């Protein structure tokens, strides 16, 4: 489908003008470290909810996980439940209020600094900052791929050029405006995404004859599952994979649990809890955040699966065949084939918004992790003053790394790369973070041991046990002469199911075996401030 270049150009220009205006507003309001790092701790609940949701739901959800649904079906809708219950309700109501309170008490401006000050440990802050700096570019690279794939398909421009365009635009307002600019633009982009996904769902059902008709047609297509997919547990697009099959383990342990639980320990999301005036704002944000996530993730997964019905009706092929075997191309191919011209233009803006909102949050988190946590505290021991300049350099460096990864990562990687980073965060940060805000008895030694064990257990499992990564990396093969150290079902189990429980256990045992932290310090951390 050819998109009208003048109309597209005007739409993108108008959108960019608004984004850069909001970035300029953020720049003008950024006066000090608190403004750059935490948007001045005075963010509106609506802005928080849409900024959080837009940072959470990116092109990796729409393109990557939507494509996964196109290939493997609607079982991924369990992830929507996890996104809303864990990612919104538990995150805001249970974790959010305590995070905000402790952040104010300790005057922390980043997620690693919050944990580092809670346990009075430069090492924890510096190590956490380094971990984010090194591994978050993998997630950012996957988001860049999602946006660039749609631009490639819709605009017929070179994929490599599309990556550069996205990265440069986002870098411009993140580096200058800090978190104020990020959250303002996120809120606009979130609203645009909500409208775009609502229209996409309505048009899809209308094209397929209605809700019941569309899903019945998809159910009736089970016989079209390719033999190689059926052999690994694919039973159809409206049923769960065969229990215990490779596809079932990937869906349940890697996608649903990896992303569904890992969201609680995402540094770029947790830091948003420290941007509001009070805990009432967090509770109000839940009312906006829940429906937003449902519309964004739920619609992407439903439409991704239903694209099989459309392509079979029009081309006699399932979605994966139309996309040439690349999962990441299913959603772009469907939008460009099935949607009217005007909507292709609007959806391009929706995807730009999804990519830019998540990328801006990632770039800001990576820059602050490098400049403030790793360099200022971890290396320089706080001996330099404001870190805005170093943070801006950190943002630029991590953007460069993310772009390089977007060029070299293999096809169909978006959902997988996202799940890897979420799972790593769950193993490394979640036990330590949970103990920091809920358990007064947790000690510095327990937190440190949990952080180290969680990190290296997750990386070890990825490198030597979990077949998808271990086989691709080839390190285990080179050292031990075999693709994985274990065989059978163990090679299908995601690291989150092994590394995270181990990290929790270590945190508890080591804390109970070591001296409690000073009572005065602990009471200061947990002090009520409202």
């Amino acid at each position: 489908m050819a998109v009208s270049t003048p109309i597209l150009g005007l739409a993108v220009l108008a959108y960019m003008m608004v984004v850069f205006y909001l970035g300029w507003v953020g720049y003008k309001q950024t006066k000090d470290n608190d403004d750059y790092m935490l948007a001045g701790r005075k963010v509106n609940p609506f802005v928080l909810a849409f900024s959080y949701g837009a940072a959470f739901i990116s092109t990796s959800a729409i393109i990557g996980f939507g494509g996964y649904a196109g290939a493997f079906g609607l079982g991924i809708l369990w992830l929507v439940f996890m996104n809303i219950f864990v990612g919104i309700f538990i995150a805001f109501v249970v974790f959010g209020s305590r995070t905000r309170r402790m952040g104010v008490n300790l005057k922390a401006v980043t997620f690693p600094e919050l944990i580092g000050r809670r346990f009075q440990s430069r090492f924890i802050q510096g190590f956490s900052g380094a971990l984010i700096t090194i591994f978050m570019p993998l997630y950012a690279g996957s988001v860049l791929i999602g946006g660039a794939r749609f631009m490639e398909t819709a605009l017929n421009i070179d994929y490599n050029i599309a990556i550069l365009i996205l990265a440069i635009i986002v870098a411009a307002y993140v580096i200058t405006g800090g978190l104020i600019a990020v959250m303002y633009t996120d809120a606009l982009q979130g609203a645009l995404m909500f409208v775009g996904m609502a229209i996409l769902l309505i048009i899809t059902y209308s094209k397929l004859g209605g809700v019941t008709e569309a899903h019945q047609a998809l159910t009736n297509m089970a016989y079209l599952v390719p033999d190689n997919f059926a052999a690994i547990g694919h039973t159809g697009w409206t049923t769960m994979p065969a229990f215990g099959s490779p596809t079932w383990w990937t869906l349940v342990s890697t996608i649903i649990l990896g992303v569904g639980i890992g969201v609680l320990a995402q540094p770029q999301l947790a830091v948003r809890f420290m941007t509001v005036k009070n805990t009432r704002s967090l509770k109000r944000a839940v009312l906006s955040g829940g429906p937003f996530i449902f519309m964004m993730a739920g619609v992407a997964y439903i439409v991704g699966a239903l694209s099989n019905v459309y392509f079979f009706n029009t081309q006699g092929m399932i979605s994966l065949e139309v996309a040439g075997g690349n999962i990441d191309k299913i959603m772009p191919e469907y939008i460009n084939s099935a949607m009217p011209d005007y909507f292709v233009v609007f959806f391009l803006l929706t995807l730009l918004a999804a990519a830019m909102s998540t990328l801006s949050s990632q770039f800001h988190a990576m820059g602050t992790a490098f400049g403030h946590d790793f360099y200022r505290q971890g290396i320089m021991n706080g001996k330099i003053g404001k870190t805005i300049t170093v943070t801006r350099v950190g943002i630029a460096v991590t953007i460069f790394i993310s772009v390089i990864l977007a060029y070299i990562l293999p096809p169909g990687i978006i959902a997988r790369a996202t799940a890897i980073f979420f799972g790593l965060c769950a193993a490394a940060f979640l036990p330590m973070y949970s103990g920091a805000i809920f358990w007064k008895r947790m000690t510095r030694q327990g937190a440190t041991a949990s952080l180290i064990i969680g990190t290296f257990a997750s990386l070890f499992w990825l490198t030597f046990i979990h077949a998808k990564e271990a086989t691709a990396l080839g390190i285990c093969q080179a050292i031990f002469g075999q693709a994985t150290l274990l065989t059978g079902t163990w090679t299908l189990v995601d690291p989150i199911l092994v590394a995270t429980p181990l990290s929790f256990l270590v945190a508890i045992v080591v804390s109970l075996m070591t001296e409690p932290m000073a009572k005065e310090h602990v009471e200061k951390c947990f002090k009520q401030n409202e």
Side-chain angles (χ1 to χ4, degrees), residues 211-343:
V211 177
T212 303
E213 292 78 4
H215 286 272
Q216 186 59 54
L218 186 62
T219 300
N220 296 341
M221 289 177 61
Y223 73 96
L224 292 170
V225 171
D227 291 342
N228 59 326
F229 276 32
I232 57 173
H234 195 327
T235 59
W237 287 273
T238 57
T239 56
M240 285 290 287
F243 179 78
S245 67
T247 303
W248 185 90
W249 276 107
T250 298
L251 175 62
V252 174
S253 71
T254 301
I255 304 295
I256 297 174
L257 294 180
V259 177
I261 295 174
V263 65
L264 288 174
Q266 288 293 293
Q268 75 280 14
L269 299 181
V271 75
R272 277 164 167 69
F273 301 140
M274 297 191 283
T275 65
V276 292
K277 294 179 183 178
N278 49 50
T279 54
R280 290 189 301 276
S281 298
L282 290 169
K283 292 174 182 176
R284 290 172 187 159
V286 173
L287 300 176
S288 306
F292 179 83
I293 296 296
F294 176 77
M295 282 301 298
M296 295 305 303
V299 169
Y301 307 161
I302 290 169
V303 170
L306 290 176
S307 67
N308 285 283
V309 179
Y310 172 79
F311 284 127
F312 186 70
N313 290 344
T314 57
Q315 300 183 35
M317 294 188 289
I318 61 172
S319 300
L320 197 60
E321 292 172 331
V322 175
N326 187 347
I327 288 176
D328 295 341
K329 286 190 173 183
I330 289 177
M331 288 295 282
E333 289 289 349
Y334 172 72
I335 300 298
N336 285 287
S337 299
M339 297 293 116
D341 275 8
Y342 74 86
F343 184 73

Side-chain angles (χ1 to χ4, degrees), residues 75-339:
I76 197 175
L77 283 176
W78 281 105
L79 178 57
V80 180
F81 168 77
M82 295 290 287
N83 290 157
I84 295 172
F85 181 68
V86 178
I88 297 294
F89 181 75
I90 298 296
F92 276 67
V93 177
V94 181
F95 278 73
S97 58
R98 288 175 174 264
T99 302
R100 193 213 67 84
R101 186 185 309 136
M102 192 171 289
V104 171
N105 290 339
L106 298 177
K107 295 181 173 58
V109 296
T110 67
F111 175 76
E113 184 167 66
L114 173 74
I115 306 300
R117 289 190 175 182
R118 161 66 174 89
F119 295 112
Q120 299 178 307
S121 170
R122 277 178 53 224
F123 172 80
I124 287 177
Q125 183 175 351
F127 187 89
S128 299
L131 199 63
I132 294 166
T133 303
I134 294 169
F135 290 101
M136 191 178 279
L138 176 67
Y139 180 22
S142 72
V143 175
L144 275 171
I145 291 171
R149 283 297 179 200
F150 189 81
M151 292 173 69
E152 175 191 37
T153 306
L155 306 180
N156 197 27
I157 63 173
D158 184 73
Y159 167 72
N160 297 321
I161 294 174
I163 288 176
L164 280 179
I165 291 172
L166 267 181
I168 291 170
I169 291 171
V170 177
Y173 66 83
V174 177
I175 291 175
T176 56
L179 195 58
I180 296 178
V182 169
M183 295 191 75
Y184 281 174
T185 53
D186 279 359
L188 163 73
Q189 290 156 346
L192 185 64
M193 290 156 63
F194 189 94
V195 173
M197 297 305 283
I199 296 173
L200 175 63
L201 184 65
I202 292 168
I203 294 178
T204 296
Y205 278 133
S206 66
K207 277 187 170 290
L208 300 181
V211 177
T212 303
E213 292 78 4
H215 286 272
Q216 186 59 54
L218 186 62
T219 300
N220 296 341
M221 289 177 61
Y223 73 96
L224 292 170
V225 171
D227 291 342
N228 59 326
F229 276 32
I232 57 173
H234 195 327
T235 59
W237 287 273
T238 57
T239 56
M240 285 290 287
F243 179 78
S245 67
T247 303
W248 185 90
W249 276 107
T250 298
L251 175 62
V252 174
S253 71
T254 301
I255 304 295
I256 297 174
L257 294 180
V259 177
I261 295 174
V263 65
L264 288 174
Q266 288 293 293
Q268 75 280 14
L269 299 181
V271 75
R272 277 164 167 69
F273 301 140
M274 297 191 283
T275 65
V276 292
K277 294 179 183 178
N278 49 50
T279 54
R280 290 189 301 276
S281 298
L282 290 169
K283 292 174 182 176
R284 290 172 187 159
V286 173
L287 300 176
S288 306
F292 179 83
I293 296 296
F294 176 77
M295 282 301 298
M296 295 305 303
V299 169
Y301 307 161
I302 290 169
V303 170
L306 290 176
S307 67
N308 285 283
V309 179
Y310 172 79
F311 284 127
F312 186 70
N313 290 344
T314 57
Q315 300 183 35
M317 294 188 289
I318 61 172
S319 300
L320 197 60
E321 292 172 331
V322 175
N326 187 347
I327 288 176
D328 295 341
K329 286 190 173 183
I330 289 177
M331 288 295 282
E333 289 289 349
Y334 172 72
I335 300 298
N336 285 287
S337 299
M339 297 293 116

Side-chain angles (χ1 to χ4, degrees), residues 366-426:
M366 291 186 292
T368 56
F370 174 81
H372 185 76
D373 299 308
F374 176 68
Y375 181 72
R376 182 175 186 267
Q377 294 297 333
I379 302 298
M380 300 301 294
N381 194 21
K383 292 177 182 178
I384 60 174
K386 293 183 178 179
T387 53
I388 292 178
T389 300
V390 179
T391 297
R392 286 170 172 158
V393 172
I395 292 173
V397 171
T398 50
I399 287 173
F400 177 76
I401 296 171
S402 302
V403 169
I404 297 300
L405 286 172
Y407 285 140
I408 65 176
L409 288 171
I413 191 63
I414 297 177
R416 184 75 207 120
T418 303
I420 288 173
F421 181 72
F422 274 61
L424 177 61
C425 285

